[in-house]
Amino acid sequence: MKNQKQIPASAYQSGTGFINHYQNLIKDVVIPYQYEVLCDNVEGVEKSHVIANFVNAGKALRGEDIGDGFYGMVFQDSDAAKWLEAVAFSLTVYADKKLEAKADALIDIIAAAQDSDGYLNTYFTIKDRDKRWKNLMEGHELYCSGHMMEAAVAYFDATGKDVLLNVMLRNAEHIYTHFITEKNEGYPGHPEVELALLKMYRTTKNQHCLDLAKHFLDVRGVNPHFYEEEAKLRDWTVWGNDPYDHDYMQAGKPVREQTDATGHSVRAVYLYTAMADLASEIEDVELQTACRKLWESITQRRMYVTGGIGSTVLGEAFTVDYDLPNDTAYAETCASIGLMFFASRMLELDTNGEYADIMERAFYNTVLAGMQLDGKRFFYVNPLEILPGISGIAATHKHDLPERPGWYACACCPPNVARTISSFGTYAYGENDTTAFCHLFAEGTIHFENGLELLCETNYPYAFTITYTVKKGSKALALRIPNWSTQHSILVNNKTTDYEIRKGYAYLPCVQAGDKIVLSLDTSVHHIYTSTKVAENTGCVALQRGPLVYCFEGVDNDNDILSLSLTENGQITINPYAEDLLCGTTTLTVSGWKMQQTEALYSIDKRPEEVPYTLTAIPYYTWGNRGLSQMRIWMTDK
Amino acid sequence: MKNQKQIPASAYQSGTGFINHYQNLIKDVVIPYQYEVLCDNVEGVEKSHVIANFVNAGKALRGEDIGDGFYGMVFQDSDAAKWLEAVAFSLTVYADKKLEAKADALIDIIAAAQDSDGYLNTYFTIKDRDKRWKNLMEGHELYCSGHMMEAAVAYFDATGKDVLLNVMLRNAEHIYTHFITEKNEGYPGHPEVELALLKMYRTTKNQHCLDLAKHFLDVRGVNPHFYEEEAKLRDWTVWGNDPYDHDYMQAGKPVREQTDATGHSVRAVYLYTAMADLASEIEDVELQTACRKLWESITQRRMYVTGGIGSTVLGEAFTVDYDLPNDTAYAETCASIGLMFFASRMLELDTNGEYADIMERAFYNTVLAGMQLDGKRFFYVNPLEILPGISGIAATHKHDLPERPGWYACACCPPNVARTISSFGTYAYGENDTTAFCHLFAEGTIHFENGLELLCETNYPYAFTITYTVKKGSKALALRIPNWSTQHSILVNNKTTDYEIRKGYAYLPCVQAGDKIVLSLDTSVHHIYTSTKVAENTGCVALQRGPLVYCFEGVDNDNDILSLSLTENGQITINPYAEDLLCGTTTLTVSGWKMQQTEALYSIDKRPEEVPYTLTAIPYYTWGNRGLSQMRIWMTDK
């Protein structure tokens, strides 16, 4: 039932533009840096210990002294998995024998940490083997398995090496035995294994992987009391999560009956990704309908303009409709990555530009903001407003850090960013037998399995002309026209051409080797307004150019952004692209007003004087790269 | 060193206006209702059990069966104390033998719950006598003693009966023995006993009361690690408070060195009240200077326009400068009552209208908003914005209830409102040998100890002419000119007169029996602007008339206040006083704009159309009296 499917990571080779810059950064800085962190070789950042955990788990299995035992979160294993997956994707773009050797060595360590029955988890293997599978709510065993399965599939696709894939097939079989053969009740506290099992199934055709994925989705929420019952059978917890908060665990109803995005936001979108993927795999219309409702719940009522989701720190969770505070936002980097997953699977079900629009919004804003421009520091939380003196300090704002730390005790986001960027082609391009789909605008070469080979040239997201040269083959070509592009043109070999616009895509019936297709999108700056149902943004406007949402930082604006407002429909100048600024960016000069500061907290009948002021805006993804500074996206518009 | 001092509650008899209406409500509804709640006779509200606790504590002391034991918070006793204090104040205004008999009976029950050594606390007496004085951080023993001392003093002043006063003198002696004679270290986790001991001292002249108050203030924060050390000596907690959070307990530094208002906001202002009171009692300039810094910290950087303080639910606490969220505000009713205490003591030290301005702001807005107009329901938390569907529901907004509950498990606020209203005269009027001071505008008769007797006639806060008739005596008269009154006039016997304005007070050198003084204040509606340092209110305005801050409720404005904004300096009509609306009020009709609702969460380049709209504003203290509705004080101003 897939309308079209994602291309594999290996089918896309980035060119010399923006995506290539980021993929190089992942290869040159992020992957090596994160490896050193995983090995605990970086001073001044949170300890990882993840590789040591695998080593020690192997020792535990062999009855040897376990050394310094386990350290870290219950899901620490997944950091190694995400790193391996990023490495795998990167290897498809850049051959690197030394890196591959490092990965192989790590895989051997992981393989040695697998129990004889196929179980693989360092926390329980080192700490207490008897606690295996007794705390699905908090234990993250299935979550860690899922990430390692994703890594195994990616590594096999990239290198043809099946050591990890076989480890994870044995692990999947162990899980199948426990949950299906032996009929143990339960479903993952943190969904992830479902989407991973579907990847395993597509790569290996192992039917048990598909059955297991379907099983976990089918049973979820059918007995919403499962976690309570599970909790009553043990005398220990990991974090003291509340087993009665069914919606928090996306377990209040069977998944096909769920309509509102609830609970922990990363868990939610990982679950919905698997639901959408399964819906297309087994042609389950009911599941697809549920996915659409959940998609609408997120994107029409519970999403920031940056593509950030999960607005509260309390449980890292979705809250209720239209509750989107800017300064206390959570908007976890991983959640926006998960939103990209969900969007890409929805797009496979229904080629509707709406899905790609959101995928692009999440990527170019929240996901990229999650990483310092130098690739060495990361945000877990992505607020839309930063107030030095309050952000990161006040009790309600402790999580909204004004500057990126080097690593986190809970380090899910940094390697997640790495694997997402290094597999960018899978989100950008799709295909079916008849058509090649360009969802996002990513320069480079794309080898579609349907035989088409395309060269894409563009300086997107800072230029809005995209040139596609057909290198080989002959197929229909579908080009997404973003929802922010109020005008566009398409030339084929310098001539206008007939094409049909359907659901946000321009369909060119047939392009062939030698054709040059030039898509020109809207280059203007757009004004974004929020529904008046969002209290936080009444009377405010945000600026966006292409996919980039802009923000205002104190450093460019006299360190006084709270005194500034924009002139309604005022002059906006798009400055020339500056190579040297923030790794290359285009700033905006915007006309507005500056209100005079008053000493008094409250002034009676003395409206502070306002004078014309010229503001400077930068893309949101570049914020926080020049030291401590105020930051704001939504500005008063008058 | 007192410039002038508060009059006693008994010196003020309210007339037939606004204050009288409220004092009647306290007498006719609140006191009887709260008594029934204390007796657990009211269905559908949180259980109190406070009287039963005293009965059971008495049984425990006599070795009898303790019945159903203790129920409630560790500070449950204080609810009875605050009720008794409200009764005492009310009896000074309205003789009521039946009520007095009820109070006498309760006092007998309390007296019977006092241990032979003078200790009085039902929680520890019933639960575990051995835990007495071992958890000053959380145990609230001194807090409960303080409230009972305040009740004892008020009841003695009102009735001349000294049963409770003698109980509390014995209790004070017990505390003196424990902390001073026996040199036990420590100071109250929740300040309150300090201000109460000063009241005890003034009524009884018992030197130990003054010494104890001074002792607790002197030792506080000198050893900031006291609570940690205390915690290490026991294996139990009440709530698991963090003994290392010194600032939260106002114990990070000696009180004379404290400069920022920190921690639990009620504790803070109760502490600062005692500091100011002691400073005047013993003429301690260093203490007075510290009080002034703390006052500025609160009122210049950490206070809502409603006089609400303590902006976060996390610890019911102050946060950092300029962190004043409207929708997640805490702004506890008790904290604003405490701010009135602090203001009234500062005013005694320095007759500066600034203190009375804040006292008035807190009273007419947050304190009155704390009670339903019918006197039967109460707010603990007083947000400046209510969003049905989010407020009271979203995890970060659970405390911001959109409607007042009947009673709370932690019921500190309802009886606190009762005692404050019934002793309103003590805040409104002050005196010294030469002068009678009118700080607030409260109709009725005032018998100053200096010999002057005044009749005050006014419909304040809805009319702004205040007529004073001198009934007896001859003194200087000081009339406060509020900071919001941009113009005023004073006529004596229909003629202009010479007077001097000093620090917000008009001083009439001599008024005498027969004189009629008419003060006319500004009747217009004022626009309030916030410092641009407060992110929450950029581009916004609030309206105030007299002391009343206005708000906009959905019920008056098409249930769509988030779409509304005010026209900069637009037309405002002050509607005629409406007897039947919200127990009598004056609404404002305000010209503004209504933005069209859009279905889309975000709209690109489509600024929602705005049409002129006429808004209706009501005084903030009346909000939430007509069912579930949106509410907002700060409106976009353009």
Side-chain angles (χ1 to χ4, degrees):
Chain A
M1 204 166 67
K2 283 193 203 297
N3 235 290
Q4 45 86 31
K5 59 175 189 175
Q6 293 181 285
I7 62 163
S10 55
Y12 169 73
Q13 295 284 320
S14 57
T16 56
F18 189 82
I19 296 303
N20 180 251
H21 163 79
Y22 265 99
Q23 290 193 336
N24 279 336
L25 190 68
I26 299 302
K27 167 179 68 89
D28 296 333
V29 178
V30 180
I31 286 175
Y33 173 76
Q34 292 190 353
Y35 185 76
E36 295 304 314
V37 172
L38 300 185
C39 296
D40 295 316
N41 291 336
V42 182
E43 294 282 326
V45 302
E46 293 274 358
K47 182 169 153 184
S48 164
H49 207 259
V50 59
I51 296 176
N53 287 340
F54 279 106
V55 171
N56 293 342
K59 289 178 181 168
L61 291 173
R62 294 189 302 273
E64 299 169 13
D65 182 279
I66 56 162
D68 56 356
F70 182 90
Y71 172 88
M73 298 279 178
V74 67
F75 48 78
Q76 206 78 352
D77 291 3
S78 63
D79 292 345
K82 281 188 270 187
W83 181 81
L84 274 175
E85 195 184 358
V87 168
F89 290 138
S90 188
L91 289 175
T92 67
V93 184
Y94 312 99
D96 181 339
K97 286 295 160 197
K98 275 173 75 176
L99 179 61
E100 195 172 328
K102 265 185 194 165
D104 286 340
L106 176 56
I107 286 168
D108 288 342
I109 291 170
I110 293 168
Q114 184 170 37
D115 213 332
S116 55
D117 61 359
Y119 184 85
L120 175 64
N121 186 287
T122 71
Y123 180 89
F124 290 96
T125 299
I126 295 172
K127 290 208 157 194
D128 194 345
R129 225 174 150 276
D130 290 341
K131 288 183 174 171
R132 300 182 349 171
W133 303 129
K134 294 204 171 60
N135 187 346
L136 298 188
M137 180 173 72
E138 301 176 312
H140 282 68
E141 291 153 290
L142 291 166
Y143 171 83
C144 290
S145 284
H147 273 300
M148 203 57 85
M149 287 177 192
E150 287 198 87
V153 168
Y155 203 71
F156 174 76
D157 287 348
T159 64
K161 293 177 181 171
D162 62 3
V163 175
L164 192 59
L165 191 66
N166 286 328
V167 165
M168 296 319 295
L169 272 172
R170 281 195 297 278
N171 182 248
E173 197 55 35
H174 169 81
I175 298 168
Y176 186 91
T177 302
H178 181 81
F179 286 94
I180 295 185
T181 313
E182 295 174 359
K183 295 193 166 67
N184 283 294
E185 208 189 344
Y187 39 87
H190 193 316
E192 152 64 26
V193 76
E194 303 89 333
L195 73 86
L197 284 163
L198 289 165
K199 287 187 175 183
M200 290 280 283
Y201 168 69
R202 275 197 289 275
T203 291
T204 65
K205 296 297 162 205
N206 179 303
Q207 183 67 28
H208 279 184
C209 289
L210 177 61
D211 293 349
L212 250 184
K214 182 169 182 308
H215 169 79
F216 283 137
L217 293 173
D218 285 347
V219 300
R220 184 171 206 91
V222 171
N223 171 15
H225 305 289
F226 166 70
Y227 294 120
E228 303 156 35
E229 291 160 9
E230 181 196 57
K232 284 180 192 146
L233 298 177
R234 59 179 147 75
D235 58 359
W236 56 280
T237 81
V238 177
W239 297 294
N241 274 12
D242 175 10
Y244 293 87
D245 193 349
H246 307 144
D247 283 341
Y248 182 71
M249 262 96 64
Q250 297 90 31
K253 294 176 193 163
V255 295
R256 289 172 183 78
E257 295 170 25
Q258 295 185 19
T259 53
D260 290 316
T262 65
H264 188 277
S265 58
V266 176
R267 301 184 193 193
V269 282
Y270 282 18
L271 173 66
Y272 308 155
T273 299
M275 287 164 62
D277 205 0
L278 184 71
S280 63
E281 199 63 55
I282 65 171
E283 307 202 359
D284 185 328
V285 176
E286 197 185 351
L287 199 52
Q288 181 176 356
T289 305
C291 287
R292 176 66 204 180
K293 283 185 187 156
L294 293 164
W295 172 265
E296 290 176 0
S297 169
I298 295 175
T299 62
Q300 297 180 6
R301 296 185 295 278
R302 298 183 181 194
M303 183 187 76
Y304 289 101
V305 72
T306 52
I309 56 173
S311 61
T312 182
V313 63
L314 301 171
E316 311 181 311
F318 286 107
T319 66
V320 295
D321 289 347
Y322 308 112
D323 178 24
L324 295 166
N326 295 315
D327 59 337
T328 59
Y330 201 69
E332 186 179 333
T333 310
C334 284
S336 288
I337 290 171
L339 182 58
M340 289 179 67
F341 299 164
F342 185 27
S344 71
R345 301 305 193 286
M346 291 302 283
L347 200 51
E348 289 182 325
L349 278 164
D350 174 17
T351 311
N352 186 331
E354 177 190 341
Y355 300 114
D357 286 338
I358 299 288
M359 190 158 72
E360 184 176 60
R361 185 173 288 282
F363 179 76
Y364 283 100
N365 299 292
T366 300
V367 178
L368 288 188
M371 184 166 68
Q372 191 87 350
L373 292 172
D374 67 6
K376 291 190 176 177
R377 299 166 72 87
F378 300 89
F379 274 137
Y380 197 100
V381 170
N382 298 281
L384 284 77
E385 176 168 298
I386 280 289
L387 307 163
I390 297 177
S391 302
I393 295 173
T396 46
H397 294 65
K398 278 262 198 304
H399 57 290
D400 289 298
L401 303 180
E403 297 186 271
R404 294 171 186 82
W407 197 255
Y408 291 84
C410 172
C412 56
C413 299
N416 224 352
V417 172
R419 68 175 182 142
T420 304
I421 291 174
S422 55
S423 61
F424 192 74
T426 69
Y427 305 99
Y429 295 98
E431 63 175 307
N432 61 25
D433 289 347
T434 62
T435 311
F437 292 85
C438 302
H439 304 307
L440 307 179
F441 307 106
E443 86 293 341
T445 307
I446 312 97
H447 297 262
F448 293 94
E449 285 177 4
N450 65 19
L452 201 73
E453 188 181 324
L454 267 190
L455 170 69
C456 172
E457 292 166 295
T458 183
N459 286 315
Y460 197 85
Y462 286 111
F464 301 94
T465 302
I466 303 110
T467 303
Y468 298 97
T469 307
V470 181
K471 299 301 230 182
K472 217 167 84 183
S474 161
K475 290 286 166 185
L477 183 67
L479 304 176
R480 169 172 151 260
I481 310 301
N483 68 339
W484 48 261
S485 189
T486 48
Q487 52 187 12
H488 73 275
S489 71
I490 298 175
L491 295 180
V492 176
N493 302 325
N494 288 316
K495 288 186 210 131
T496 57
T497 185
D498 283 344
Y499 58 87
E500 192 188 355
I501 295 267
R502 281 201 316 273
K503 292 186 179 176
Y505 283 80
Y507 286 85
L508 280 63
C510 182
V511 297
Q512 46 201 342
D515 280 354
K516 181 169 284 209
I517 302 102
V518 178
L519 171 64
S520 298
L521 297 171
D522 187 358
T523 62
S524 63
V525 177
H526 303 283
H527 292 79
I528 313 286
Y529 303 96
T530 317
S531 164
T532 55
K533 291 173 183 162
V534 179
E536 191 82 4
N537 296 346
T538 49
C540 291
V541 65
L543 301 181
Q544 182 178 334
R545 182 171 183 245
L548 302 178
V549 173
Y550 274 70
C551 71
F552 296 84
E553 270 199 316
V555 63
D556 299 312
N557 298 284
D558 289 344
N559 291 310
D560 189 19
I561 54 166
L562 298 187
S563 299
L564 305 181
S565 57
L566 306 193
T567 311
E568 185 182 333
N569 297 318
Q571 174 82 34
I572 299 179
T573 306
I574 301 164
N575 295 312
Y577 181 79
E579 286 281 358
D580 298 338
L581 184 64
L582 296 163
C583 291
T585 195
T586 295
T587 62
L588 305 178
T589 301
V590 187
S591 73
W593 301 93
K594 179 168 184 169
M595 193 173 261
Q596 207 186 326
Q597 278 281 4
T598 55
E599 256 322 291
L601 181 55
Y602 301 108
S603 307
I604 300 176
D605 292 334
K606 284 186 210 122
R607 194 177 204 277
E609 209 183 313
E610 285 183 291
V611 293
Y613 185 85
T614 305
L615 295 82
T616 300
I618 58 166
Y620 174 73
Y621 82 87
T622 68
W623 85 271
N625 276 279
R626 293 171 295 171
L628 190 66
S629 189
Q630 300 170 316
M631 186 276 291
R632 181 174 255 189
I633 288 178
W634 291 101
M635 302 293 284
T636 305
D637 169 45
K638 59 189 178 184
Chain B
M1 205 166 65
K2 282 191 204 295
N3 237 291
Q4 46 85 31
K5 60 175 189 176
Q6 294 181 286
I7 63 164
S10 55
Y12 169 73
Q13 295 285 321
S14 57
T16 57
F18 190 83
I19 297 303
N20 181 252
H21 163 79
Y22 266 99
Q23 290 194 336
N24 279 337
L25 189 69
I26 299 302
K27 166 181 66 93
D28 296 334
V29 178
V30 180
I31 287 175
Y33 173 76
Q34 292 189 354
Y35 185 76
E36 294 305 313
V37 172
L38 300 184
C39 297
D40 296 316
N41 292 336
V42 181
E43 294 281 328
V45 301
E46 293 274 357
K47 182 170 153 182
S48 163
H49 206 258
V50 60
I51 296 176
N53 287 340
F54 280 105
V55 171
N56 293 342
K59 290 180 181 168
L61 291 172
R62 296 189 301 273
E64 298 170 13
D65 182 280
I66 56 161
D68 54 358
F70 182 90
Y71 172 89
M73 298 281 178
V74 68
F75 49 79
Q76 205 78 352
D77 289 4
S78 64
D79 293 345
K82 280 187 270 188
W83 180 81
L84 273 176
E85 194 183 358
V87 167
F89 291 138
S90 188
L91 289 175
T92 68
V93 185
Y94 312 98
D96 181 339
K97 286 294 161 199
K98 275 173 76 176
L99 178 62
E100 195 172 327
K102 265 185 196 166
D104 287 340
L106 175 56
I107 286 167
D108 288 342
I109 291 170
I110 292 167
Q114 184 170 37
D115 213 332
S116 54
D117 61 0
Y119 184 86
L120 176 64
N121 184 289
T122 70
Y123 180 88
F124 291 96
T125 299
I126 294 172
K127 290 208 157 193
D128 192 345
R129 222 173 152 277
D130 290 341
K131 289 184 173 170
R132 298 180 353 170
W133 303 129
K134 293 204 172 58
N135 188 345
L136 297 188
M137 180 173 71
E138 301 176 313
H140 282 70
E141 289 153 290
L142 291 166
Y143 171 84
C144 289
S145 283
H147 274 299
M148 203 59 84
M149 288 177 192
E150 287 198 87
V153 168
Y155 202 72
F156 174 76
D157 286 350
T159 64
K161 294 178 181 171
D162 63 2
V163 176
L164 191 58
L165 191 66
N166 288 327
V167 164
M168 295 320 295
L169 273 172
R170 281 195 298 277
N171 183 247
E173 198 54 35
H174 169 81
I175 298 169
Y176 185 91
T177 303
H178 181 79
F179 287 94
I180 295 184
T181 314
E182 296 175 359
K183 296 193 167 65
N184 282 295
E185 209 190 344
Y187 39 86
H190 193 316
E192 151 65 24
V193 77
E194 303 89 334
L195 73 87
L197 283 163
L198 290 165
K199 287 187 175 183
M200 290 279 285
Y201 168 69
R202 275 197 289 275
T203 292
T204 65
K205 296 295 165 206
N206 180 302
Q207 184 66 28
H208 279 185
C209 289
L210 177 62
D211 293 348
L212 249 184
K214 182 168 182 308
H215 169 80
F216 283 137
L217 292 174
D218 285 345
V219 300
R220 184 171 208 91
V222 171
N223 171 14
H225 305 289
F226 166 70
Y227 294 121
E228 302 155 35
E229 292 159 9
E230 180 195 61
K232 284 179 191 147
L233 298 176
R234 59 177 147 76
D235 58 357
W236 55 280
T237 82
V238 177
W239 297 294
N241 275 12
D242 174 10
Y244 293 86
D245 193 350
H246 308 143
D247 284 342
Y248 181 72
M249 262 96 63
Q250 297 91 32
K253 293 176 193 163
V255 296
R256 288 172 183 78
E257 297 170 22
Q258 295 186 18
T259 53
D260 290 316
T262 65
H264 188 277
S265 58
V266 176
R267 301 183 193 192
V269 283
Y270 282 18
L271 172 66
Y272 308 153
T273 299
M275 286 165 62
D277 206 359
L278 184 70
S280 63
E281 199 62 55
I282 65 170
E283 307 202 0
D284 185 329
V285 175
E286 196 185 352
L287 198 52
Q288 181 177 355
T289 305
C291 288
R292 177 66 203 181
K293 284 187 187 153
L294 293 164
W295 173 265
E296 290 176 1
S297 170
I298 295 175
T299 62
Q300 297 180 7
R301 296 184 298 277
R302 302 184 178 195
M303 183 187 76
Y304 289 101
V305 72
T306 52
I309 56 172
S311 60
T312 183
V313 63
L314 301 171
E316 310 181 315
F318 286 107
T319 66
V320 294
D321 289 348
Y322 308 112
D323 178 24
L324 295 166
N326 295 314
D327 59 337
T328 60
Y330 201 71
E332 185 178 334
T333 309
C334 285
S336 288
I337 289 171
L339 180 59
M340 290 179 65
F341 298 165
F342 185 28
S344 71
R345 300 305 192 286
M346 291 302 283
L347 199 50
E348 288 182 325
L349 278 165
D350 173 17
T351 311
N352 185 332
E354 177 190 340
Y355 300 114
D357 286 337
I358 298 287
M359 189 159 72
E360 184 176 62
R361 185 174 289 281
F363 179 76
Y364 283 100
N365 298 292
T366 300
V367 178
L368 287 188
M371 184 167 68
Q372 192 86 350
L373 292 171
D374 66 7
K376 290 191 176 176
R377 301 166 73 86
F378 300 89
F379 274 136
Y380 197 100
V381 171
N382 297 282
L384 284 76
E385 176 168 300
I386 279 290
L387 307 163
I390 296 177
S391 301
I393 295 172
T396 46
H397 293 66
K398 279 262 197 302
H399 57 289
D400 290 298
L401 302 180
E403 297 187 273
R404 293 172 187 81
W407 197 255
Y408 291 82
C410 171
C412 57
C413 299
N416 224 353
V417 173
R419 69 177 181 140
T420 303
I421 290 174
S422 56
S423 60
F424 192 75
T426 68
Y427 305 99
Y429 296 99
E431 64 175 307
N432 59 27
D433 289 347
T434 62
T435 312
F437 292 86
C438 303
H439 305 305
L440 307 179
F441 308 106
E443 86 293 342
T445 308
I446 312 97
H447 298 262
F448 294 94
E449 285 177 5
N450 65 18
L452 201 74
E453 187 181 324
L454 268 190
L455 170 68
C456 171
E457 294 166 294
T458 182
N459 286 315
Y460 196 85
Y462 287 110
F464 301 93
T465 302
I466 304 110
T467 304
Y468 299 96
T469 308
V470 181
K471 298 302 229 182
K472 218 168 79 183
S474 160
K475 290 286 165 183
L477 183 67
L479 305 176
R480 169 172 152 262
I481 311 299
N483 67 340
W484 49 259
S485 189
T486 49
Q487 52 187 13
H488 73 275
S489 70
I490 298 175
L491 296 179
V492 177
N493 301 325
N494 286 318
K495 289 187 208 129
T496 56
T497 186
D498 284 342
Y499 58 89
E500 191 189 355
I501 295 266
R502 280 200 317 272
K503 291 185 179 177
Y505 283 80
Y507 286 84
L508 281 64
C510 182
V511 297
Q512 45 200 339
D515 280 352
K516 181 169 284 207
I517 303 101
V518 178
L519 169 64
S520 298
L521 298 171
D522 187 359
T523 63
S524 63
V525 177
H526 302 284
H527 292 79
I528 313 286
Y529 303 95
T530 316
S531 164
T532 55
K533 291 173 183 165
V534 179
E536 192 82 6
N537 296 346
T538 49
C540 289
V541 65
L543 301 180
Q544 181 178 332
R545 182 173 184 244
L548 302 178
V549 173
Y550 275 71
C551 69
F552 296 84
E553 270 199 316
V555 62
D556 299 311
N557 297 285
D558 291 344
N559 290 310
D560 189 17
I561 54 165
L562 297 188
S563 299
L564 305 180
S565 56
L566 306 194
T567 310
E568 185 182 333
N569 298 318
Q571 173 82 37
I572 299 179
T573 306
I574 301 164
N575 296 312
Y577 182 80
E579 286 281 0
D580 299 338
L581 183 65
L582 296 163
C583 290
T585 195
T586 295
T587 62
L588 306 178
T589 300
V590 187
S591 73
W593 301 93
K594 180 170 184 168
M595 193 173 262
Q596 207 185 326
Q597 277 280 4
T598 55
E599 255 322 291
L601 181 55
Y602 301 109
S603 306
I604 300 176
D605 292 333
K606 284 186 210 123
R607 194 176 204 279
E609 208 182 313
E610 286 184 291
V611 293
Y613 185 85
T614 304
L615 294 82
T616 300
I618 59 166
Y620 174 74
Y621 81 86
T622 68
W623 86 271
N625 277 280
R626 292 171 294 171
L628 189 65
S629 189
Q630 299 168 318
M631 184 276 290
R632 180 174 256 190
I633 287 178
W634 292 101
M635 301 294 284
T636 305
D637 169 45
K638 59 189 181 187

